Amino acid sequence: MRALLVVTDQDNLDRLSLYLRTTSGVEIVGIARDIKEFIDLLVKKEIDSLYLDMELQNLDSIHVVKTLLNDRDVEVVLVTSPSVDACQAYEIAPLDIILKPITEKAVRRSLYRLTERIQEKRRLRQAEDGERLLSDISFQVLDWQPLDRILHFACDKMVQIFDLPLAWVALRKHDGTVTIEASAGILSNYIKSPFFQREEIYHQAQPIQADYVEEVTKRHLEGIFITDPYFQLRKEKEVCNSVSFCLVVPLKTKQSVLGYLALYAGTYELLKARQIAAFKRCAEQVCIALAGAIRRQEVHLLTTAVESSANAIVITDPTAKVIWCNEAFEKLSGYELDEIKGIKPSFWKSGFHSSSFYENMWSTILKGKVWKGETVNKRKGGDFYTEEMTITPVKDEQGNLVNYIAMKEDITLRKEVEMTLLKAKEEAEQAERVKSEFLSVISHELRTPMSGILGMNELLLDTDLDQEQRILASAVEESAQDLLKIIDALLTFSSIQAGRKSLNYTFFDMKAFLNEFIERINYSILSKGLTFQANIEPSVEGTWCGDPLRLRQILDNIIDNAIKFTEKGEILFKVSLQKESNEPFLQFEVIDSGIGMPRDVQKKLFIPFTQKDSSLGRRYGGIGLGLTISKYLIELMGGTIAVTSAEKKGTVVSFTLPSEPASNADWIE
């Protein structure tokens, strides 16, 4: 409090000066003994209070003082003698009157009244300034000022209005960190870091302790967090003794906390209800600005995304009249927004779709559902294009339909490619059918004369032939049988390609079947100088259900390969009964000690007409269909086939068949 003393007699002046100087918070800015000195000091000094002696000489002192203080906010305490008429003094509305001789009690009383009045005025000014601050923030929000400008403005004004040493506003980011975006006050350099985690607000970086938050929350202090009595604002190891209190006001919306407003002070005055209410109102305005800025940012982001989208976007009103389109649609259709604004999309209909197509579309979107489909439309130039379109109805908070949003993707090129690929696929399938039919016809045509050759040669062998003739006839027999196998393989493959291959299941004696097979192949193996072993488990005996003809064809193909590619050593044939998940199945294995195969050949093993050596001068014959046909027949029976091999070490071909027939088999009992 700044006081000016205007007292005539020295004795009372000394007493008054003594009592005022011994009171903390009071500063005597000047002493005057007459009106002239008073006027000089009043011009030069800023004062809150005036101690005025009623016994000033010459002129009408009270009227002069009243005129001088007319535009100044100064509280007056009159000093007078009991004999003086003080009625006229009420023209200047004194706060108190001290009678001479001046006593300490009277001075203390006046100081108390002055302090109360000055503080009340200060609170009123703060309230008025606070309301102006709210209005200014609101104006800046409505004026679409940048968010950082609004936050800095709020911090600066709050520091000025409420006489605070520090205030800051921090915002929460998507990753959970909190960043101080604006600060003001002489203690701004005490802010530890502009970046911190949200939890740090309750720990080291900011003045709220974690164990105190729960207690404060229970006290329902209007959503404001208050520091505990042991709070100290620190900068590294330095303690700021001028700050004892801090408030942190969450900037909240209904959905989440957007940030925090922190206010620091050195007195308990900060925590009074009136101050807290003002802080909350300011925080609400800052929160409005923050929410608005976030909303503007989101709108800007979405607008940019929509405008720059590669997909065409059209927005219409509830009557389906165009109100907006993006640049992608203008490029797609050839129409600019000004040309189609207020026009319905039927304007660019192609006529390719029936009325029922559009009825279905409108029936869907009028129910508030999303419609998706492909449409053909007409460009401004008259040519047609195909688009994949999604129409989304948009409703307001009351559920009323307000807009339609259509997202369109130009798929003209894709449809053309699809048509080209479809045509190529049909042509390839047709070529495959022609090839299969050709193979089937040729194979049948070859098989008939071949049967005649074999029959005649067999009759020839039954006649009396000399040794040389018998050798030649036997060579014809062997070559004809090889050729017949090739013809049979081609016939089977053509049937597979045409999808005409099926299985004929019947009951047969597995032991008799295997014995007959072993006896038949034993001669071929032994005649090449190889050792042959057959290992048939006893559990395989009995009657089994399957297609013995196709099983024999599979085994013939696998054994023929083993014989063909084994120059010396042995061939082992194993059959066993296995179980997996309580499901029984037969396992067949053919193991040879032949030339084996590298990994790259094994990968192509089941591709038709593929061999390790496909040159014309190759050592081993065949057309590369044996394992292809075997794999197809095994899978048709519901089994699997596997091949393991190593060069110069031999090959193992194993396959499994279920003990029950596959579901796609044809039954013959």
Side-chain angles (χ1 to χ4, degrees), residues 499-514:
R500 297 193 300 266
K501 204 66 181 173
S502 60
L503 302 175
N504 293 320
Y505 276 88
T506 186
F507 293 99
F508 64 97
D509 189 318
M510 179 61 74
K511 184 177 181 180
F513 170 83
L514 292 174

Side-chain angles (χ1 to χ4, degrees), residues 11 102 265 280 314 357 395 425 430 495 502 587 597 623 657:
D11 183 50
I102 296 175
K280 280 202 69 177
V314 178
F357 174 85
K395 296 183 179 180
K425 178 176 176 291
Q430 177 63 23
S495 298
S502 60
Q587 179 164 313
M597 292 175 287
I623 58 175
L657 294 177

Side-chain angles (χ1 to χ4, degrees), residues 1-5 16 20 23 25-28 47-52 73-79 93-98 106-123 125:
M1 182 173 61
R2 299 179 298 272
L4 175 61
L5 310 184
L16 181 59
L20 291 178
T23 304
V26 178
E27 177 189 359
I28 300 176
I47 64 173
D48 299 313
S49 58
L50 172 65
Y51 282 85
L52 178 64
D73 187 13
V74 177
E75 296 298 330
V76 179
V77 176
L78 290 179
V79 179
L95 182 65
D96 198 7
I97 297 177
I98 299 176
V107 174
R108 299 295 181 197
R109 183 194 67 221
S110 68
L111 285 175
Y112 175 77
R113 291 180 178 178
L114 282 171
T115 302
E116 286 293 314
R117 177 62 64 84
I118 291 171
Q119 288 182 351
E120 181 64 24
K121 286 182 177 180
R122 185 177 298 169
R123 285 192 292 268
R125 283 197 302 271

Side-chain angles (χ1 to χ4, degrees), residues 347-562:
F347 176 71
W348 52 79
K349 276 172 43 174
S350 63
F352 277 68
H353 304 288
S354 64
S355 58
S356 61
F357 174 85
Y358 293 105
E359 288 173 2
N360 175 64
M361 180 183 71
W362 278 104
S363 173
T364 301
I365 60 178
L366 286 174
K367 293 176 182 177
K369 298 179 180 179
V370 177
W371 181 88
K372 293 182 180 181
E374 295 180 1
T375 60
V376 178
N377 285 324
K378 185 165 60 176
R379 290 189 176 94
K380 184 178 180 180
D383 55 323
F384 299 101
Y385 64 94
T386 306
E387 62 185 15
E388 192 172 68
M389 181 167 60
T390 301
I391 303 177
T392 305
V394 180
K395 296 183 179 180
D396 59 17
E397 295 179 355
Q398 288 73 38
N400 301 316
L401 188 63
V402 291
N403 293 104
Y404 294 109
I405 299 178
M407 297 192 66
K408 304 162 176 280
E409 180 185 359
D410 185 3
I411 59 171
T412 305
L413 181 60
R414 190 178 82 190
K415 298 299 287 186
E416 291 175 354
V417 171
E418 287 177 358
M419 292 299 294
T420 302
L421 292 176
L422 180 61
K423 184 178 179 181
K425 178 176 176 291
E426 291 174 349
E427 290 175 352
E429 290 175 348
Q430 177 63 23
E432 192 67 31
R433 284 193 295 271
V434 170
K435 182 184 75 174
S436 297
E437 290 173 2
F438 171 76
L439 288 174
S440 180
V441 170
I442 291 298
S443 299
H444 276 290
E445 293 299 322
L446 290 175
R447 188 181 180 88
T448 301
M450 185 55 59
S451 298
I453 292 172
L454 286 169
M456 294 298 105
N457 194 66
E458 186 176 353
L459 294 175
L460 180 61
L461 287 169
D462 289 339
T463 62
D464 293 331
L465 300 174
D466 59 31
Q467 186 175 1
E468 183 179 1
Q469 290 173 333
R470 188 166 294 279
I471 291 173
L472 293 175
S474 297
V476 171
E477 174 76 16
E478 184 177 345
S479 298
Q481 289 292 347
D482 290 341
L483 184 57
L484 187 61
K485 287 182 180 179
I486 293 174
I487 294 171
D488 285 341
L490 288 172
L491 279 172
T492 302
F493 181 71
S494 63
S495 298
I496 291 172
Q497 291 290 91
R500 297 193 300 266
K501 204 66 181 173
S502 60
L503 302 175
N504 293 320
Y505 276 88
T506 186
F507 293 99
F508 64 97
D509 189 318
M510 179 61 74
K511 184 177 181 180
F513 170 83
L514 292 174
N515 287 337
E516 183 273 331
F517 172 73
I518 292 169
E519 185 178 342
R520 183 165 54 83
I521 64 171
N522 190 45
Y523 173 77
S524 300
I525 296 173
L526 295 178
S527 63
K528 195 174 179 180
L530 303 175
T531 303
F532 177 64
Q533 292 186 37
N535 185 1
I536 311 299
E537 287 188 357
S539 57
V540 178
E541 297 180 355
T543 302
W544 289 78
C545 182
D547 189 334
L549 179 63
R550 298 306 170 196
L551 179 56
R552 183 180 295 109
Q553 186 176 3
I554 295 168
L555 292 173
D556 282 342
N557 289 336
I558 296 173
I559 287 291
D560 284 348
N561 281 341

Side-chain angles (χ1 to χ4, degrees), residues 303-322:
T303 302
T304 303
V306 168
E307 289 178 345
S308 60
S309 173
N311 289 337
I313 300 175
V314 178
I315 301 177
T316 73
D317 63 14
T319 63
K321 292 181 179 178
V322 175

Side-chain angles (χ1 to χ4, degrees), residues 568-580:
K568 60 181 179 178
E570 66 174 359
I571 295 175
L572 175 62
F573 176 56
K574 297 170 62 178
V575 183
S576 60
L577 181 64
Q578 306 289 338
K579 277 192 177 183
E580 183 176 338

